[in-house]
């Protein structure tokens, strides 16, 4: 029984160490209800977008996410979009395909709440992310329902792993 406990402790420590070393642009997060997964991806060189990700829902629905930091009061303003047109889009078109918009908060190992860090080389992924009012916004979106996703995630996502 002690060997089993030791093996479990080592496995948990290894997972925690691996996740802590994961850069934000490769982090994978999941919510407590297993309704959605967030996969961050490298943003490359963008003048305005500081982080990029996709949120994978049930029924193979994929929401595209971007983060742009505001200038006046520095906040990571996230947007989730569903089936936006390609290329140059008008503000009206962008509004029509945006299913959630808000500030993305982070939570570290000690439980301190902060802001999602900008993607930069060496920036470690936070333990948890909070997408304020995500569930409500997604449930009210056109992407929810018979032709879209049927499960709505919790607003808090915890790191699950790191893409390679």
């Amino acid at each position: 029984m002690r060997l089993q406990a030791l093996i479990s402790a080592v496995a948990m420590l290894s997972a925690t160490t691996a996740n802590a070393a994961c850069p934000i642009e490769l982090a994978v997060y999941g919510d407590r209800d297993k309704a959605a997964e967030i996969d961050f991806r490298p943003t490359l060189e963008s003048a305005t977008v500081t982080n990029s990700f996709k949120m994978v829902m049930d029924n193979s629905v994929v929401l595209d996410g971007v983060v742009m930091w505001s200038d006046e009061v520095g906040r990571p303003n996230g947007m989730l979009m569903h089936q936006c047109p390609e290329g140059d889009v008008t503000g009206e078109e962008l509004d029509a395909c945006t299913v959630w918009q808000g500030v993305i908060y982070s939570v570290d190992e000690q439980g301190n709440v902060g802001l999602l860090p900008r993607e930069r080389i060496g920036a470690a992924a936070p333990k948890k992310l909070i997408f304020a009012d995500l569930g409500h916004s997604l449930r009210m979106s056109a992407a929810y329902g018979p032709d879209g996703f049927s499960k709505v995630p919790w607003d808090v996502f915890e790191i699950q792993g790191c893409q390679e």
Side-chain angles (χ1 to χ4, degrees):
M1 196 57 136
R2 285 185 183 192
L3 180 59
Q4 183 76 11
L6 180 61
I7 291 171
S8 294
V10 168
M12 284 177 45
L13 181 60
S14 296
T16 301
T17 303
N19 291 342
C22 183
I24 185 71
E25 67 270 13
L26 297 176
V28 176
Y29 290 85
D31 73 304
R32 72 171 188 196
D33 299 329
K34 300 188 182 338
E37 179 179 280
I38 297 173
D39 299 335
F40 277 85
R41 51 190 173 210
T43 299
L44 305 175
E45 295 182 27
S46 171
T48 57
V49 175
T50 60
N51 305 78
S52 300
F53 61 96
K54 66 180 178 179
M55 183 177 287
V56 182
M57 311 294 288
D58 67 326
N59 299 330
S60 303
V61 175
V62 176
L63 307 176
D64 294 308
V66 295
V67 179
M68 295 178 278
W69 272 73
S70 58
D71 289 330
E72 301 81 37
V73 178
R75 295 283 183 272
N77 295 298
M79 292 175 62
L80 276 170
M81 296 154 289
H82 183 247
Q83 297 179 338
C84 281
E86 296 288 322
D88 290 335
V89 296
T90 65
E92 187 174 297
E93 291 171 321
L94 188 59
D95 286 344
C97 65
T98 299
V99 296
W100 174 83
Q101 188 170 358
V103 174
I104 302 174
Y105 297 94
S106 65
V107 181
D108 67 16
E109 295 288 333
Q110 292 76 36
N112 299 311
V113 177
L115 300 170
L116 175 73
R118 297 172 195 250
E119 177 185 309
R120 64 182 186 281
I121 296 173
K127 180 180 179 179
K128 294 181 182 180
L129 299 176
I130 302 170
F131 286 68
D133 205 28
L134 175 69
H136 174 74
S137 294
L138 291 181
R139 189 173 209 53
M140 302 310 288
S141 76
Y144 176 78
D147 297 326
F149 56 89
S150 63
K151 298 177 184 173
V152 177
W154 179 239
D155 293 359
V156 180
F157 289 78
E158 189 162 354
I159 192 161
Q160 303 293 306
C162 192
Q163 303 170 60
E164 298 197 17

